[in-house]
Amino acid sequence: MADPELMSIGAFAKAAGLTASALRFYDDAGLLRPEQVDPLTGYRFYSQPQVVRASRLRQLREIGMPLPTIGRFLAAGAEEAARLIDDQVAKVAAETSGIQQAAAALKASLAQGACLALGVLPGPVLAAAVDQILATTTHDLEIPVLAGVRLEAHPDAISLTATDRYRLATRTLVPSQPPAASWSGTLAGEDLQAVTARLRRSPTVTLEAGERTLDLRTGDSTVTHCRLLTEIFPDYRHLIGSLPEVTHRVTIETHQILKALERAPETIGLRVADGQPSLLLSDTVVALSGTASGPDLTLWFDLTTLYPALSHSLGNDLMLDLRGPDRPATVRSADEGDLFTLVMPCPASPS
């Protein structure tokens, strides 16, 4: 005979906010065993303290946590359990974001008219260019277009441009088939980021512009839609055209400066002295192989601004065009097209 203080499966299900069938399922899964099972009838009975575990199990299922993870959660301490919740929320958020992006791109492609062929590019080269340019985007609620990438197609080249107001990067590519006509539009950066893995695996990618999307057709004929943003992209051409004259030109080895920056502090000095470049890292001076023109000069940069601009450069050599301690510096490199990046110095580091 069952303990009179125990609850039947029906009463327990009501107290825990679950169904009787769900309780049977969790029993079979080993997550919530009954306190007692009648050996003759097979009826399950539960105790009052088990309501807390059952309610927690229900809440975990409401956030989509898989059964194996729930088992680990129920056996974990508070710190580990909190981490498992955070991991699940992050997973759900990523899945939701992916669904929202796919739905938005699909809606944008509806009732779209004829597409304009913009050219054909090697998939791995286009994917690398997207990675390089996306590093200069930012999520700004006041200026959402800064999360986008400006694509411009001309008869001789296709360019990708992005800016976060502290940096500006432009990558130019030469298509194997030139665009049918000039075209420009701003692409949703998150859509581009989602498709880079597919682009990287395709020998060729055909770019086709529609009214609401840019379509990327890979070698297996799969088409991915990247939404076009309606906000006005900053007039970067005016910015570039209004830059003052270059006063110093520094040529250095890419690998050497990136290696030195691996142990760099938050702020880095770039010094030109006697025709030689060097880095100032806290109390350490690191001589760089290369050349430098112009009088002695020291500029300071935030690591978070300078390192991405250098790490996404092309080829073995970098050219830095300097204009003074309070003017944008240009990082230039060339290989399978060219990459042009503007980097803003920061105030001088305290001595």
Side-chain angles (χ1 to χ4, degrees):
M1 175 176 284
D3 188 328
E5 294 186 0
L6 297 179
M7 290 180 279
S8 68
I9 191 171
F12 185 77
K14 185 176 180 179
L18 293 166
T19 64
S21 59
L23 290 173
R24 297 186 188 98
F25 178 84
Y26 295 138
D27 180 9
D28 293 338
L31 296 174
L32 184 59
R33 299 291 192 188
E35 187 73 26
Q36 183 177 322
V37 178
D38 189 302
L40 297 178
T41 63
Y43 289 166
R44 296 170 170 87
F45 296 91
Y46 297 81
S47 63
Q48 181 64 39
Q50 287 184 291
V51 173
V52 174
R53 183 181 179 95
S55 299
R56 184 158 290 175
L57 199 159
R58 173 178 52 78
Q59 292 172 315
L60 293 172
R61 292 299 286 169
E62 287 175 350
I63 65 171
M65 185 174 285
L67 293 178
T69 308
I70 289 178
R72 302 206 321 266
F73 176 94
L74 294 174
E79 184 175 346
E80 174 66 9
R83 186 190 66 78
L84 291 173
I85 292 175
D86 290 340
D87 290 348
Q88 178 61 22
V89 171
K91 178 183 176 182
V92 172
E95 292 174 349
T96 301
S97 177
I99 292 172
Q100 290 174 337
Q101 291 176 32
L106 181 60
K107 286 171 62 179
S109 68
L110 295 176
Q112 184 161 285
C115 290
L116 175 67
L118 299 184
V120 179
L121 292 167
V125 175
L126 177 58
V130 169
D131 286 339
Q132 291 156 348
I133 298 303
L134 282 176
T136 311
T137 61
T138 187
H139 290 278
D140 188 320
L141 295 179
E142 295 183 359
I143 315 177
V145 75
L146 296 183
V149 173
R150 187 71 171 174
L151 187 144
E152 297 173 311
H154 302 287
D156 57 344
I158 293 175
S159 65
L160 301 172
T161 303
T163 180
D164 62 2
R165 294 184 295 179
Y166 299 97
R167 293 172 296 158
L168 184 147
T170 295
R171 176 77 196 271
T172 302
L173 303 172
V174 179
S176 59
Q177 296 180 20
S182 295
W183 180 91
S184 61
T186 305
L187 312 179
E190 57 186 1
D191 291 359
L192 277 177
Q193 187 172 40
V195 76
T196 51
R198 180 174 296 168
L199 299 181
R200 195 171 288 114
R201 293 192 299 268
S202 179
T204 60
V205 178
T206 302
L207 282 65
E208 301 172 340
E211 295 178 4
R212 301 178 181 175
T213 65
L214 177 79
D215 296 345
L216 302 172
R217 187 182 302 274
T218 51
D220 60 0
S221 297
T222 299
V223 177
T224 302
H225 306 288
C226 290
R227 289 167 292 151
L228 297 178
L229 304 181
T230 57
E231 297 88 354
I232 297 176
F233 194 79
D235 186 0
Y236 73 94
R237 292 187 183 279
H238 175 74
L239 170 63
I240 294 175
S242 62
L243 289 173
E245 292 293 324
V246 173
T247 59
H248 299 69
R249 178 158 289 162
V250 178
T251 304
I252 50 180
E253 295 180 359
T254 307
H255 173 75
Q256 184 188 28
I257 191 170
L258 290 179
K259 189 69 175 177
L261 291 178
E262 289 180 359
R263 59 180 187 277
E266 294 181 6
T267 306
I268 308 111
L270 175 63
R271 173 177 293 172
V272 173
D274 299 325
Q276 292 295 318
S278 60
L279 287 179
L280 308 181
L281 309 179
S282 298
D283 298 329
T284 304
V285 178
V286 179
L288 299 173
S289 300
T291 60
S293 64
D296 292 358
L297 173 71
T298 299
L299 277 72
W300 296 92
F301 296 92
D302 289 328
L303 178 65
T304 54
T305 300
L306 182 64
Y307 189 85
L310 302 182
S311 64
H312 287 89
S313 59
L314 307 169
N316 297 322
D317 301 296
L318 283 172
M319 184 178 293
L320 283 77
D321 289 340
L322 311 179
R323 300 175 177 85
D326 57 352
R327 302 296 177 89
T330 304
V331 181
R332 298 163 57 193
S333 59
D335 185 21
E336 296 178 321
D338 62 82
L339 182 64
F340 172 99
T341 306
L342 290 179
V343 183
M344 193 66 193
C346 65
S349 176
S351 56

